[in-house]
Amino acid sequence: MYSSHYFFGKPKAIVLLGCALFAGNTFAQAGSPSLEITATGAQEATQSILTPTKILQGDELLNKLGTTLGATLANELGVSATGYGAGSSRPVIRGLEGSRVQILQNGLSVGDVSNISQDHAMGNNMQNTHQIEILRGAAALLYGSGSSGGLVNVINDRILTNLPDRPTGAVNTSYETVNNGRAGALELDGAFGSVAVHVDTAINNANNYRIPGNSTQSQGEPIGGWTVPPSGNGGNNYSGKLPNSFSNQNNLGIGVSHIGQSGYTGVSVERLNNNYGIPTPEGGYIQQSQNRYDLQHQTRDPFDGFSSFKFSAANSDYNHTEFTSAGVAASQWKNIANEARFELAHNPLAGWKGILGAQISAASLNATELGSGSYAIVPPTKTNSNALFWIEEGKWDSLQGNLGLRYNNVAQKPNLGTVLTPEAMNIGGDTPSINLQNRNFNLFSYSAGGLWNYLPGQGAGIAYTVSQRAPSAQELYSYGAHESTATFDIGNPNLNKETSHNLEFNLQKTTGLIRAKASAYANRFNNYIYGYYTGDAIGQSGFSVVTAQQASATIKGIEGELTYNWNQAGLASRLFADASQGTFDAGGNLPLQPAPRLGAELAHQKNGWLSNATYIYSYQQNRLASWEQGPAPSYNLLNAGISYTERVKDVNWTIYLNLKNLLNEQIRYATTPMAVRLYAPQPGRSLMVGLRGTF
């Protein structure tokens, strides 16, 4: 229970770790702090020194890489994940997810509909990912005004920015026992004169995965003192393999770029297919596909006073169909997204350097209930966004500072001829209808912060960020049944813009064998948008009615990390802890909040051998919203891995073995809606073996 482990809502162990982080600063060594965030994979870098920021790459990325972005980042500091089976998982950053955590691919929006609902998988493939970046504060304002939780940029380097001096590439294949998972990936880079070419492809097929114990706790078996009711699927309670937990995906990507003395111009195209199960009591599956086209151009030293001009654009055509357990198409979601942006980086001026630019985007969303009496779940809606941004960072002796400004105009234009009434959908009852109307939002976001390097490699910082978000089309205009979440969603066309005020303090030590960082933050929301379960149900389906509402809310948290020789040869270790608590200012808890966690990692690297082990303890989460059932149980997660790399002629071959959930614990994320959390635990104990080659 929290009462025995918490001090002002935070685990004592986290407070102790924070003290250890302060003590760790006594191990100072000479050197200057520098944390560079590439943000787009280009040569220039935007520094973000005031907030905890993560770059996942190299061996660390390969060891943690999962089939989804959420699974890959789930154990990072301040980051948890949603868990809709194996096919769909997004990151949750500091208690925030969905539209508040923007996902990019090579610096541009991924263009899917995963921010609308947790059962919607992201429109990108992880197997050929080269780098993942987490940005917050001023750096995040380069890309969006609504990323109050943060921003994640997935980089695959499909458009090459440098000419390879010889053909290079990588091949990877693996097998996993828990789901009979077979995966393979291939990528090749080459050059023909001044033209660089990239090709990548990947396939990942996994059957239903095995689970520890039973899928649904039968009546009389408590979870944390609460008895789970029977499932809506006739009380089915599975053991062994979990139905509708499979995932099959494949993709093909091609990039071509012309590279000259002053810059490059490149284009790329990608096709992604994804077919995955939805492990709810009702069951079902989703078939997803997306075509994506990208254009990038960069000119170095375009004119006096500026070091770089960059232009990028993307078009994505996304759709998915949701099927019932009987294989009947129930609904279809489509989204066509276009985005373009330019950035101008200026030379240092009076100690300041920075980037200014503009960004435009347009998206057309349409969600339709299929079958007899077809109707719009979300009416055809066009969302147009125009933005200007300006980011600056300066350094004066031991002081550093940054400023970020962003103005956005967002217009939501639904098809006003769509009728959203109970009669039009033949559902009856007292369900309210909604009147469609065009909405326009002016958003102004800004960030300011400072860092005092009181000793070489050691600093204390403060940052304040105001972030405004326009309601999404789904939050404004949704009206219909959503099979995969077993809900009947009703939007609110009168929603106001959401504003977050985030204040953060941090300490960091960035040099030496021992490094550390600790942060405490408070994020105050005006007009926080959330889905409220009314307690009503619709017709024979029994789907819960969920309405979009707003209220003042606050999320407070603390997180810390202490590392020794991390990502270096020899023995390395890492300790971390994070906790956040989200509440409505009028009383009660925010829904889908992550549980506090403690974690430790050990790694050893020598003579081609790399071994690692990770242990995480997640506390029980009983601070739930009034309509949530629970609590979400605590769990112990133990993962381990070992690999050996040997160079044979011109190829570095790596054979690896990864063990996941060694303790075979039943894991149910508090960040996952009840439709899945109560009836679908995460996979049980698993062994993965694989072979990887790079040349």
Side-chain angles (χ1 to χ4, degrees), residues 503-538:
L503 180 63
E504 178 172 347
F505 299 91
N506 64 72
L507 293 174
Q508 56 181 293
K509 181 180 183 295
T510 58
T511 59
L513 287 176
I514 297 178
R515 304 186 182 192
K517 57 185 177 182
S519 300
Y521 59 89
N523 201 350
R524 173 71 184 273
F525 287 86
N526 297 330
N527 297 319
Y528 182 90
I529 302 171
Y530 65 99
Y532 173 71
Y533 282 70
T534 65
D536 296 329
I538 291 294

Side-chain angles (χ1 to χ4, degrees), residues 94 148 463-466 500-504 521-524 555:
R94 293 180 169 181
S148 52
Y464 178 67
T465 301
V466 174
S500 73
H501 302 260
N502 187 75
L503 180 63
E504 178 172 347
Y521 59 89
N523 201 350
R524 173 71 184 273
I555 297 178

